[in-house]
């Protein structure tokens, strides 16, 4: 189990982790928000956490080829929760997956993924400098939200069934319902 304490605030950890993962040829594909930001439980403090799903297909291929049961653990997940004035980052290592599956012989295949995951978490432990926030070859937008910042959950799709029916087709004839004057 990897545990690294980051000095980055919880509000900023998503951007930092996405940038750092991109540097290591990985992608953050899903961000899950767990808990309520100001909900206080009987345990004492606020309970809020983020779970990031890291996708690194090149390193996953060898593990999946060796034992398809790795599909139950991949892609890797990183949990982040506020602790003090920073964030605690935690992830189960791929070599830990080998031990759970009883395949200690595959730990050498998991070692490169362990190393990348460790480097990603170590790099995410520190705030990014202004120049590090800019990804090579990607121009930053001055127009507000970008694709990475848009949540497509609960949006109306362009087509609503397998036959290609549009939402507009279901809404009516396309003509005005009442003649006006």
């Amino acid at each position: 189990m990897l545990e690294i304490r980051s000095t980055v605030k919880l509000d900023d950890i998503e951007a930092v982790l996405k940038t750092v993962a991109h540097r290591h040829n990985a992608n953050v594909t899903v961000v899950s928000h767990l808990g309520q930001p100001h909900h206080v439980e009987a345990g004492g403090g606020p309970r809020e956490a983020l779970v990031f799903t890291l996708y690194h297909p090149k390193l996953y291929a060898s593990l999946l080829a060796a034992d398809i049961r790795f599909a139950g653990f991949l892609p890797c997940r990183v949990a982040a929760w506020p602790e003090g004035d920073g964030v605690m980052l935690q992830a189960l290592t791929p070599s830990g997956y080998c031990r759970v599956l009883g395949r200690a012989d595959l730990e050498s295949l998991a070692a490169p993924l362990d190393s990348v995951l460790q480097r990603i978490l170590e790099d995410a432990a520190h705030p990014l400098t202004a120049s590090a926030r800019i990804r090579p070859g990607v121009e930053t937008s001055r127009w507000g939200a970008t694709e990475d910042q848009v949540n497509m959950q609960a949006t109306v799709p362009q087509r609503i069934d397998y036959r290609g029916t549009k939402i507009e087709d279901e809404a009516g004839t396309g003509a005005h319902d009442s003649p006006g004057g």
Side-chain angles (χ1 to χ4, degrees):
M1 180 77 67
L2 287 173
E3 277 193 354
I4 295 180
R5 182 157 166 43
S6 175
T7 57
V8 177
K9 303 288 184 209
L10 189 65
D11 293 340
D12 300 328
I13 196 68
E14 181 177 348
V16 170
L17 201 54
K18 282 181 176 184
T19 302
V20 169
H22 183 69
R23 274 194 230 140
H24 293 281
N25 299 317
N27 292 312
V28 174
T29 57
V30 178
V31 180
S32 303
H33 298 268
L34 306 174
Q36 300 299 322
H38 300 291
H39 180 325
V40 178
E41 294 184 1
R47 295 287 173 218
E48 180 182 20
L50 299 173
V51 178
F52 301 96
T53 302
L54 288 173
Y55 186 66
H56 199 304
K58 288 181 182 177
L59 295 179
Y60 294 168
S62 60
L63 288 174
L64 292 170
D67 192 335
I68 194 62
R69 296 180 301 163
F70 280 105
F73 297 98
L74 297 174
C76 298
R77 285 164 199 79
V78 175
W81 63 89
E83 190 167 287
D85 59 346
V87 172
M88 183 61 78
L89 299 170
Q90 184 182 58
L92 182 61
T93 60
S95 59
Y97 306 158
C98 295
R99 289 188 286 279
V100 169
L101 293 173
R103 295 293 309 263
D105 58 312
L106 297 178
E107 286 189 28
S108 61
L109 281 177
L113 189 52
D114 280 354
S115 176
V116 167
L117 188 59
Q118 172 117 19
R119 287 194 312 260
I120 288 172
L121 293 184
E122 286 174 352
D123 290 353
H126 309 289
L128 297 175
T129 61
S131 62
R133 286 188 196 108
I134 300 170
R135 291 190 282 185
V138 177
E139 187 176 324
T140 57
S141 171
R142 291 178 291 249
W143 297 98
T146 63
E147 275 185 42
D148 291 351
Q149 299 165 324
V150 175
N151 184 353
M152 294 303 292
Q153 186 175 358
T155 58
V156 178
Q158 181 70 25
R159 310 276 188 228
I160 61 171
D161 60 16
Y162 66 92
R163 292 180 301 242
T165 306
K166 289 183 172 183
I167 196 75
E168 295 86 3
D169 296 340
E170 295 295 313
T173 63
H176 290 287
D177 292 338
S178 62

